[in-house]
Amino acid sequence: MNSSSSAEPVLVFDEFVLRADKSDSSVVISSPWNWWLDSGDRLAVMTTNSFLSYQLMATLADLVKPVSGEVLKRGTVSWPLGGEGGLDGKLSIDQSLDFLSNIYSDCFEKSRITLQEFYEVLQAQSIEPSLKLKELDKDQKDYFYMALSILFSFDVYLVPKFRYLMSRKAMLLRTLLHRQLEGCSLISTGGNNRFRREFCNKGLVLDGFGEVIFQGDLEQAIALIDQKVADSGRVDSDDDQFDFGDSLKNSDQDEPNDVL
């Protein structure tokens, strides 16, 4: 964010333009973004335009290209927290972990969470290491994918929605996420104020066309977006699955890759 902090930015948005309308690819944000995220910032991005939130997360996850400009990453960026893509349902829990730990070896090695703790929280939900992903029921899948996302240590965590994370069953996972976030950054776009107050320290409010109308104090940002939501009469569900579908493409050439 634009601030006087001496911390080294981990993300820099440079003349960054996103698509702002799901049904019309010619509608883009009203002015380019030129702001940054400092190390240690845990930013709640708030807007009544849910498609714009999706575009932001998909771009940061390298699934969609921006309309123009670029985002410079000076650290490791997570896949969207709780994401399910990229793992074959025929893999077991252990095989899935082996697969990802090879790809994200550095993030795995510097994790503040031990493998023993990881398996203990899975066991609390009757998730055994030998189980195949396709054998998990819906709640177990939600729990496993969230736990797996938290196991790896990233410089910036992407949290598109708070699906499952703020539930009672996920209390242990929230404790682990707090530990993993020490000294790290976060960008969230969901609408759950409980999550914002527990995990974020700054707010950024965008209007429906992506114009930055407020940045700074979290409580001021929450009050502003709550008023805008009340005025618009719109309510986005925090239970919505983050969907990397055709609606996220900015052109026919933008084909998303398979990732978590």
Side-chain angles (χ1 to χ4, degrees):
M1 293 173 60
N2 298 342
S3 71
S4 59
S5 172
S6 59
E8 181 73 15
V10 288
L11 291 178
V12 177
F13 294 88
D14 182 17
E15 295 296 312
F16 191 76
V17 175
L18 286 176
R19 178 176 164 184
D21 189 282
K22 183 176 182 178
S23 59
D24 188 346
S25 62
S26 68
V27 178
V28 300
I29 64 176
S30 53
S31 60
W33 292 351
N34 289 287
W35 50 273
W36 59 88
L37 185 78
D38 284 330
S39 179
D41 282 352
R42 300 175 190 174
L43 181 66
V45 178
M46 310 177 199
T47 177
T48 56
N49 185 340
S50 59
F51 179 76
L52 182 57
S53 297
Y54 276 36
Q55 284 278 288
L56 172 59
M57 281 293 157
T59 305
L60 290 175
D62 292 328
L63 293 168
V64 171
K65 295 178 181 178
V67 174
S68 61
E70 60 181 335
V71 57
L72 305 176
K73 301 175 182 178
R74 295 171 176 167
T76 57
V77 178
S78 77
W79 61 80
L81 209 70
E84 299 182 10
L87 291 176
D88 193 309
K90 296 177 183 177
L91 294 175
S92 69
I93 300 298
D94 272 343
Q95 290 170 334
S96 300
L97 180 57
D98 287 342
F99 175 74
L100 288 176
S101 61
N102 285 327
I103 296 176
Y104 297 97
S105 57
D106 291 344
C107 300
F108 183 65
E109 290 172 3
K110 66 180 182 180
S111 175
R112 295 181 174 89
I113 300 168
T114 67
L115 269 180
Q116 180 179 347
E117 289 174 308
F118 174 72
Y119 282 118
E120 284 176 353
V121 297
L122 293 186
Q123 193 171 43
Q125 299 300 320
S126 301
I127 302 174
E128 299 297 332
S130 60
L131 281 175
K132 295 187 185 326
L133 298 182
K134 65 181 181 180
E135 295 173 337
L136 302 178
D137 64 30
K138 182 180 181 299
D139 278 348
Q140 287 177 321
K141 283 183 179 179
D142 288 341
Y143 194 92
F144 169 70
Y145 285 116
M146 190 62 68
L148 190 63
S149 300
I150 294 170
L151 175 62
F152 293 81
S153 178
F154 296 95
D155 297 308
V156 182
Y157 286 84
L158 304 181
V159 189
K161 289 283 186 180
F162 310 113
R163 182 173 182 257
Y164 199 83
L165 184 59
M166 299 310 293
S167 68
R168 182 173 298 178
K169 284 186 178 180
M171 185 179 299
L172 284 174
L173 301 184
R174 294 198 297 276
T175 299
L176 295 180
L177 179 58
H178 275 296
R179 189 196 309 171
Q180 200 72 290
L181 279 171
E182 292 176 11
C184 299
S185 301
L186 174 150
I187 292 185
S188 69
T189 55
N192 187 297
N193 283 337
R194 282 182 55 225
F195 178 91
R196 290 166 175 164
R197 290 188 170 106
E198 184 172 343
F199 288 97
C200 301
N201 56 24
K202 293 184 178 179
L204 178 73
V205 182
L206 308 171
D207 69 13
F209 290 99
E211 185 76 24
V212 177
I213 57 178
F214 178 83
Q215 56 181 323
D217 181 77
L218 179 64
E219 288 301 327
Q220 288 182 260
I222 289 174
L224 179 57
I225 196 63
D226 283 351
Q227 184 59 55
K228 287 190 169 294
V229 169
D231 292 343
S232 67
R234 294 180 65 253
V235 177
D236 285 338
S237 171
D238 287 322
D239 293 327
D240 290 344
Q241 177 72 23
F242 186 59
D243 177 24
F244 301 116
D246 290 343
S247 61
L248 288 173
K249 300 176 185 177
N250 290 328
S251 70
D252 293 337
Q253 287 72 42
D254 285 348
E255 294 292 341
N257 300 314
D258 290 332
V259 300
L260 273 167

